[in-house]
Amino acid sequence: MNKNIKLKNAIIAIILTNLITVSLVVLLPIPFFGGKRLISKDLYDFTKRYDKLLKVENLIKNNYVDKKTIDENKLIEGAINGMVDSVGDPYTVYLDKQQFEDLLTQTRGSYGGVGIVVGEKEGKLTVIAPIEDSPAEKAGIKAGDIILKVDGKEISAKELEKAVSMMRGKEGTKVILTIFREGKGVKDYELTRSIIVLKTVKSQVLKGDIGYIRITSFDENTADEFEKAFEKLQKQNIKGLVLDLRDNPGGLLDTSVAIADMILPQGTIVYTIDTNGKKDVWKSDPQNINMPLVVLVNEGSASASEILSGAIRDFKAGTLIGTKTFGKGLVQNIIDLKDGTGLKVTIARYYTPSGECIQGKGIMPDIVYDLPKELKDKQLPIDEDPQIKKAIEVLMTKI
């Protein structure tokens, strides 16, 4: 039985709490009578497993001093949250109606918030990357910053989705983030929420007839945007391409695979292995961009960005320049529970074509080239960015 089925069964068990009759509970200690089984062994084992949960619910409902205030739906939601939290994976979470809608909205391209993608790193709630042109980026929040509090309330990596929900809200409202940055200490940032519109692809021609495409995240429209941007650059007779994945926190697996398919020759792009050992493989066709390529990455490049950059590295289809990536090699599935809520569950690990799982490790670029410390907190124009200059330098040797 895979993790999805187990979790669904557990949720069903909780929902059925009020449907289990007193007679069944009475019969549980004696599943046989007169040599005959009164209930099936599977049903007996299933119900026995949740016996304690049922007892606690009944004790609360019958003994709590203000029992008239008890909301049975909240009891169920709390039990589900506790069950999912006990898995110990910050990416496996139960999503209430607001959180589920927020997540679906984000993958469609816009939402109200401050524009931060967060993840767990070394047990801390860490900024994977601020979204380009967002309130967070404009305020100076950087990849690698650690979020300690939201509006004065302490928050941890175990409460990842709760933190995301607290940071989102109506346009024009304010939220205060308490941030720790290595070498800088703790600082409060007061941010005004805005509508975060995810235009995920930007492109232009650099000096030396070098094309430049920046992908800020992978949503439903990104592959089409990338294809149009590349075709436009081709019409301008580019001789090489810089693909900028810095501070790209990831997004949809299928989108990163679709872009990899445009870039790479025939072969395996990525494969996943789930809890049952089932292997799923995504492959590319022979058609590819067939030109010198440099990929820029940093500690804010995560998940789908690492799938794309890892495949390019393993195919030797381009040169990776920058710093080690974030290291998120887990795949999540979003399950609609059909009542407005959802479950996001880690279902597999992904592996680069060479068989490497980068979870917790990240990808080391071919050329390690960090920004100088004095430039890290600045918004640099493209023609003044040392890493882009390095990318052009490397490409010029290959043209």
Side-chain angles (χ1 to χ4, degrees), residues 22 31 39 48 63 106 110 129 163-164 188 195 226 235 269 289 299 316-317 319 343 346 350 370:
V22 174
I39 59 174
K48 194 69 175 175
N63 293 281
Q106 184 175 353
S110 67
V164 170
D188 284 342
I195 298 300
F226 175 85
K235 290 176 182 177
I269 296 170
I289 64 172
E299 62 276 10
K316 300 188 184 333
T319 303
L343 188 70
T346 298
Y350 78 75
D370 201 358

Side-chain angles (χ1 to χ4, degrees), residues 32 94 114 173 188 196 201 221 310 312 378:
F32 291 91
Y94 171 70
V114 297
T173 60
D188 284 342
I196 309 299
V201 176
N221 303 312
I312 291 169
K378 295 183 178 180

Side-chain angles (χ1 to χ4, degrees), residues 286-297:
Q287 187 175 353
N288 62 90
I289 64 172
N290 194 28
M291 70 171 53
L293 172 67
V294 164
V295 183
L296 295 177
V297 295

Side-chain angles (χ1 to χ4, degrees), residues 149-262:
K149 298 178 183 179
V150 179
D151 280 337
K153 297 178 181 177
E154 291 188 3
I155 205 83
S156 70
K158 293 180 180 179
E159 302 169 296
L160 191 148
E161 289 300 327
K162 179 181 177 182
V164 170
S165 181
M166 290 171 69
M167 287 186 283
R168 288 184 183 163
K170 291 183 179 180
E171 180 183 13
T173 60
K174 295 184 182 296
V175 61
I176 297 174
L177 303 186
T178 303
I179 299 283
F180 171 79
R181 182 179 300 167
E182 191 70 37
K184 298 285 187 179
V186 177
K187 180 180 177 180
D188 284 342
Y189 290 82
E190 183 178 79
L191 307 176
T192 301
R193 297 181 179 95
S194 66
I195 298 300
I196 309 299
V197 179
L198 301 177
K199 187 180 186 314
T200 58
V201 176
K202 295 182 178 181
S203 64
Q204 67 181 82
V205 177
L206 307 177
K207 67 178 182 179
D209 295 323
I210 300 296
Y212 172 84
I213 295 179
R214 173 163 173 75
I215 303 176
T216 57
S217 65
F218 295 88
D219 68 22
E220 292 177 350
N221 303 312
T222 305
D224 287 340
E225 290 179 27
F226 175 85
E227 185 173 23
K228 290 174 184 176
F230 183 67
E231 288 174 352
K232 183 178 178 181
L233 292 173
Q234 279 185 307
K235 290 176 182 177
Q236 298 176 73
N237 299 313
I238 61 170
K239 299 174 182 176
L241 179 66
V242 177
L243 177 60
D244 192 347
L245 299 179
R246 292 175 299 175
D247 293 329
N248 180 325
L252 301 177
L253 168 66
D254 288 346
T255 298
S256 68
V257 166
I259 293 172
D261 186 21
M262 297 179 215

